[in-house]
Amino acid sequence: VIVLSGTRDGDAGDPTTEEIARYHPQASIFCCSQTIESLVPLAAWGALDFSAEAPRPHSAYLVAALGNPRRFEQDVRRLGIDVRGANYFPDHYWPAEEDWRACAEDARSKHAEAIITTEKDAVKILHPPDFPVMVSIQSTCLSDARAFEAMLLRYVEGRLGGRQRSGRENAEKSG
């Protein structure tokens, strides 16, 4: 099973899916896309109040430590937000308090209304900067979610021998 992330639709003629099919003709290929569902103030997000969507800023400064920050920027722009600047750290980087402070200063100098970051990066904010920070709440949609779910179910049922074992049965079998 191969899941391609991005804007591909997996239709015939897509060069990526054709290349995969050539090398792995038995592979099931699914495509997914991510979208920003909402923007939530950092404090509300930290309190697990994902319904506290605030008015969308007209302009923003982006801060993220992602493998593909350009896609994040495109997603924010699709919301109609003017991106005034960004600081993209290497993937999995853990920005220090000084990094967030420097980003806030840069955002102020560029007249951005807020910093927008990802959930992946929001968990790393131990000391929020003195500047509005919003967290982008993203969702992932599969191109054919029903087929993907059915395939997973067949796999899991096959691994369990067609029935679910209790924890006791698993312990007896392994011990």
Side-chain angles (χ1 to χ4, degrees):
V1 175
I2 298 170
V3 178
L4 300 173
S5 179
T7 58
R8 298 173 194 89
D9 58 12
D11 290 338
D14 176 63
T16 303
T17 54
E18 285 183 357
E19 188 77 7
I20 292 168
R22 191 172 75 184
Y23 288 102
H24 302 285
Q26 303 302 319
S28 296
I29 302 171
F30 295 90
C31 297
C32 70
S33 62
Q34 295 178 327
T35 57
I36 297 175
E37 292 294 319
S38 62
L39 296 173
V40 177
L42 179 63
W45 181 85
L48 302 178
D49 184 4
F50 305 123
S51 65
E53 186 172 358
R56 204 171 274 168
H58 297 294
S59 62
Y61 184 90
L62 309 183
V63 179
L66 300 168
N68 186 357
R70 298 294 172 231
R71 184 172 12 179
F72 175 54
E73 186 171 327
Q74 289 171 349
D75 290 345
V76 171
R77 288 183 190 280
R78 276 190 206 107
L79 295 174
I81 297 172
D82 177 25
V83 176
R84 300 274 174 94
N87 193 338
Y88 298 127
F89 296 102
D91 199 12
H92 304 292
Y93 179 79
W94 195 286
E97 184 177 354
E98 306 83 54
D99 294 322
W100 287 105
R101 196 174 16 254
C103 289
E105 288 175 23
D106 199 21
R108 259 189 212 94
S109 74
K110 293 182 172 151
H111 306 287
E113 294 175 41
I115 289 174
I116 297 177
T117 193
T118 66
E119 289 184 281
K120 175 184 169 184
D121 296 302
V123 298
K124 302 172 189 174
I125 303 175
L126 303 178
H127 303 284
D130 182 26
F131 195 80
V133 176
M134 301 190 83
V135 182
S136 66
I137 308 297
Q138 292 191 308
S139 68
T140 302
C141 296
L142 279 165
S143 58
D144 192 351
R146 287 180 192 231
F148 186 77
E149 185 178 331
M151 185 227 24
L152 286 177
L153 186 59
R154 283 191 307 274
Y155 175 78
V156 170
E157 287 175 344
R159 300 288 290 178
L160 295 176
R163 66 180 185 90
Q164 292 217 358
R165 293 190 179 111
S166 69
R168 183 177 176 170
E169 286 177 303
N170 284 333
E172 289 171 359
K173 184 173 180 162
S174 64

